[in-house]
Amino acid sequence: MTLQDVLIRWNMVRGAECLWLPGKDHAGIATQVAVEKALKKENKTRQDLGREAFTARVWEWKEQMSGKISEQLRHLGAACDWTRERFTLDEGLARAVRTAFVTLYRQGLIYRGEYVINWCPRCRTSLADEEVEREELKGSLWYIRYPVEGGGHIAVATTRPETMLGDTAVAVNPGDERYSWAWGKTLVLPVVGRRIPVIKDEFVDPGFGTGAVKVTPAHDADDFAMGERHGLERVVVMDESGVMNENAGEYAGTDRFECRRLLVERLEKEGLLEKVEDYDLSLGKCYRCGVPVEPYLSKQYFVRMKPLAAPALEAVRDGRIRFHPERWTRVYYHWMEGIRDWCISRQLWWGHRIPVWYCDGCGNVVCEMDDPAACDKCGGELRQEEDVLDTWFSSWLWPFSTLGWPDETDDLERFYPTTVLVTGPDIIFFWVARMIMAGLFFAGDIPFEHVYFHGLIRDEHGRKMSKSLGNSPDPSALVEKFGSDALRFTTVSLTPRGSDVLFAERLVETGRNFANKVWNAARLIRSAGGGAGGRDGAMPDPADLEVADRWILSGAGRLTADVARRIDNFELNEAAKAVYDFVWHRFCDWYLEIAKERFYSEDERAKAAALGVSRAVLRRSLALLHPFMPFVTEQINSELALSERSLIDGGADLDTGFPADDEAEAVMRNVFGIVEAVRNIRGEMGVHPSDEVDLYLKFADRAEMESVLALGSYITKMAKVKRIAEGDPPGERRPVATSVVGRTEVAVPLGDVIDIEVEKARLKKELARIGRILERSEAKLNDAEFRAKAPVHVIEKEEEKARKLTEARAKIERNLSLIAD
C-alpha cells in the first residue's frame, strides 16, 4: 500500500491525473475458512447452517473486517478516492464476472472436465497450481515388491505408499531392456489383490528408483495422463477430507497418513517392503491453511490458457509492459510459456457462484447472462452448479471491471489503461499475468504499462509474517504509537528495489525522529517570522544572498532532479534516503544553524534573505517529502502558508528551478569538511564541548584560502573555534592534532585544552576495553563451528563488528602516539 501511495502522490504532486480505487477481494478460501473456524467454537459446521444462512454469516464477518481494512488504509494516509470503493462481490463487479465467464464459455475457452487436480483436504476445495506452496523437506522412498503372476516380482519406488491401493498398472520405459521380460505380464497388487498390467510408456524415467513406476490415475496428474494414453481404470481411494474410502478395503475410514503407516508395517511383515531410502521431497501445501495437498480426481471447470497467454507474452516481449526489477520478466516468460489450464471452480459457498445450470431431465447445460427459468429444450427444472469461482477470477478483471466494464463508460475511457501496478512478486502468477491476459482479451488493451514488484515485509529474522508466529503487527497500532508518517517513511526507506524488508518495530523510531526534525525546523522558521502572517517568503534579491544561501538553493535543485529520477526508476527507498539526508543534514544541521544568526539580525535585508531562502527550501523539501510523509508535510505547509494550495493539489511548485551553483557548493564543501575535521579531533581527543580551540589552516592556493577565510564565521560558530590562523602552529603548542580536507591541511593545538596525562589514561582504558571486545569477536569468527552453523547475515554482522573495532583500535593507538610525543 505504502509504495503504491508514494507513486500516486508523486504523480499528483507533479500534476498528473491519477485514480486509486480502494478495493477488497472477497478472498474465497481464506474468508470461508475464517468463518468456519468461528462456527467450530460454537460446535457447528456450515452444513448445520445451510448455504443461505452460512453466506449471511460470512457477509457479517466481511463487513466487520472490511471496515478494519479501510480504517488501516486511512490511518496510513492512502490517497484513495473513497467514494469509489469497490468489492469483488459488488453488483457491478458481479456483472463483469458473469460477462467474462459467459463470454469465455461460449467461445469454448471454459470447459468442464474430470482431471487430477490439487485438492486441499482441510479446506475441501480444489486449488490452482499457483495456490500450492512448495516446501523442500527430507522424506522417504519406499521400494515395494509387486508379485508377477506365475512367479517373480517387480519392485517399484514410491513416496506415497497409501496411493498404491488405487494402482491400475505398473509402467516401464520401452527402452529399458531390464524389463523386456516383463512386457505384457500381469501383476498382483499387494494387499488389494487386483490384477494389473505392466505397460510401456516413454514418460517413465529409467533412472528413478528401480525404473518401474506404479500408475495411480486417480491420484497423480502424470499418472492420469498415462492412464488416458493406455485406457486405464481410475480408482479413487480417498474422500474429500483425505480419509481412505471403500476402495481402500480394510483401511476405509483411516486418515491417509495413518493408512500409510499401517500399510508400510503390513508390507514389511509380509516381506513385500524391499527397502526404504531417504529422499528429498518437494511437498505441496495449501497456500491458505498449510495442509499437504492431495492430487485428486475431480470434475472441475477450467479456462484454456494458451490462447490467452500468447498475446500477454507478446505484450511484455515487445516492451508495451515493463517489469521492475527486470529479472521478473524471465520468471513471467517461464510460467507463461509452460502455462497449464486454470482450474477455476471451488467447492465453497462464499464467492461468485458459477453461472451454469443443468437439466437432469434431458441433460441440457445452460450458461446465460440472466438466470434461466426453465430448460430451453424440454422446459424442465434446472439445477445450478454448486461450486463458486476461484477468487482470482474476479480479481483478474479488476483494472477495468472497477471502471464500469462491460459498459463503455467515461471512466473506462479516461483511466484505462493505467500507468503503474505496484504489487508483490508472490502474486505474479495469481494476479499480474492474469490481469494482462484479461485486459487484452476483454478490454482490448494492456491494463498497465509498468509493474513494480516490491519486496515482502518479513520480521527481523527473515521470517514471513504470520499470526501463528506472532510477528505480524497491526498497522493501526503502529500508527497510534509512532504516527502514520513515521511508519510510511520507515517502510519505504527500508525497502531495497525489489528486495524483501526485514522489519522490526524499533526501526519505526527513525521515521518518528525524522518527522520531529522536520516539525522543529518549521517551528524555528515560524518563530523567526517566517510563518503565516509573517514574511511571504518570496525569493530575495540575488545580491542579498550569502554563499550558504546559494549552496542550499543549489542543493535543493539537485535534490529535486535526483528524487524525480529515482522515483521514476522505482528506486523509492533511495529517493526517501536522499530527501532524509538533505533535510536532516544539509538543511537542518548545516544551513539553519548558519542562518539562525540572521533570523534575529537587525539588518532587515539579511533577515529577509535568510527567511526567504529558508521558506523556499522548506517548501521544496516538503513537496519532495510529501509522498512519503503526507500528514506532517501538509500540516506545515498550511500553518506556514508556504503555498496557496495543498501539496497534493499542486502546491508543490516543483517546476520552479533552483539554479545550480558549483562555486558555492565547492566552497561550502571545503568549509564543512574543515568543521567536521575539527569536530572529530575534539571528540577523539576528549576536548570539553564548551572549550574553544585554535585552528591553523594551510591552503594549496590563494583563491581557496580567500574563499574559506571569507566564511571564517561559519567555522568558528559550528566548530567552537576561538581563532583561525594560516600556516603551521608554533612548536611550543604541541601536541597538535592534524587532518587533511581536500587540499587543505588542518591543525588543532591541544596543549592548552586537554590534560595530557588524564587523556592518556582515558585512551589507554578505552584501548583495553576495545581490545577485549575485539578478542572475543575474532575468537568467534575463527571458530569453524560458528561459521558452519550461523546464518550468513549473523556472520556478516560479526565481521562488520570486528572491522569497526579494528579501525577504532587503530585510531586510539594513533591518538595515544600523538599525545605521547
Side-chain angles (χ1 to χ4, degrees), residues 1-2 68-78 473-491 503 505 508-509 511-512 515 628 630-632:
M1 191 293 303
T2 305
K68 186 174 183 179
I69 294 169
S70 294
E71 180 185 9
Q72 289 177 340
L73 286 170
R74 291 173 187 266
H75 280 171
L76 287 165
D474 179 355
S476 293
L478 291 173
V479 169
E480 187 69 26
K481 184 173 182 179
F482 297 101
S484 173
D485 287 333
L487 179 58
R488 288 170 61 99
F489 184 84
T490 300
T491 304
F503 180 86
E505 185 174 305
V508 188
E509 293 175 7
R512 181 177 61 185
F628 309 100
F631 292 106
V632 69

Side-chain angles (χ1 to χ4, degrees), residues 180-317:
S180 60
W181 65 269
W183 296 346
K185 297 279 186 181
T186 299
L187 309 179
V188 179
L189 183 63
V191 180
V192 178
R194 183 185 303 126
R195 298 174 75 247
I196 59 176
V198 176
I199 62 174
K200 296 181 286 184
D201 197 286
E202 294 282 356
F203 177 78
V204 178
D205 177 8
F208 173 77
T210 64
V213 297
K214 57 191 286 301
V215 184
T216 322
H219 290 279
D220 183 274
D222 294 325
D223 290 3
F224 175 86
M226 204 183 306
E228 287 281 281
R229 291 192 291 273
H230 296 273
L232 299 177
E233 182 185 4
R234 305 166 187 165
V235 180
V236 178
V237 296
M238 297 178 202
D239 66 16
E240 294 179 351
S241 59
V243 172
M244 308 308 289
N245 65 17
E246 67 279 2
N247 292 329
E250 64 186 83
Y251 299 103
T254 307
D255 176 79
R256 53 183 170 156
F257 297 121
E258 176 64 9
C259 176
R260 177 185 296 179
R261 185 184 67 80
L262 295 172
L263 195 55
V264 168
E265 284 182 0
R266 177 171 173 175
L267 292 169
E268 186 173 21
K269 192 176 298 183
E270 295 180 0
L272 296 174
L273 184 65
E274 189 169 281
K275 62 178 178 178
V276 183
E277 292 180 345
D278 291 337
Y279 190 73
D280 292 333
L281 285 176
S282 178
L283 183 65
K285 292 185 174 182
C286 175
Y287 80 116
R288 287 298 186 185
C289 69
V291 168
V293 166
E294 190 65 41
Y296 194 70
L297 183 65
S298 179
K299 189 170 283 188
Q300 304 287 339
Y301 277 91
F302 296 84
V303 177
R304 300 186 196 278
M305 299 302 284
K306 285 192 179 297
L308 303 178
L313 260 170
E314 189 60 30
V316 176
R317 283 196 175 117

Side-chain angles (χ1 to χ4, degrees), residues 31 51 112 318 417 526 547 549 589 692 775:
T31 304
R51 186 166 192 149
R112 193 183 191 211
D318 65 21
R526 182 176 186 174
V547 175
D549 300 327
D589 287 354
E692 293 183 326
E775 186 178 355

Side-chain angles (χ1 to χ4, degrees), residues 378-392:
C378 72
E381 285 189 16
L382 293 173
R383 170 178 53 85
Q384 187 177 0
E385 170 64 53
E386 291 288 328
D387 291 353
V388 300
L389 289 165
D390 178 8
T391 186
W392 297 102

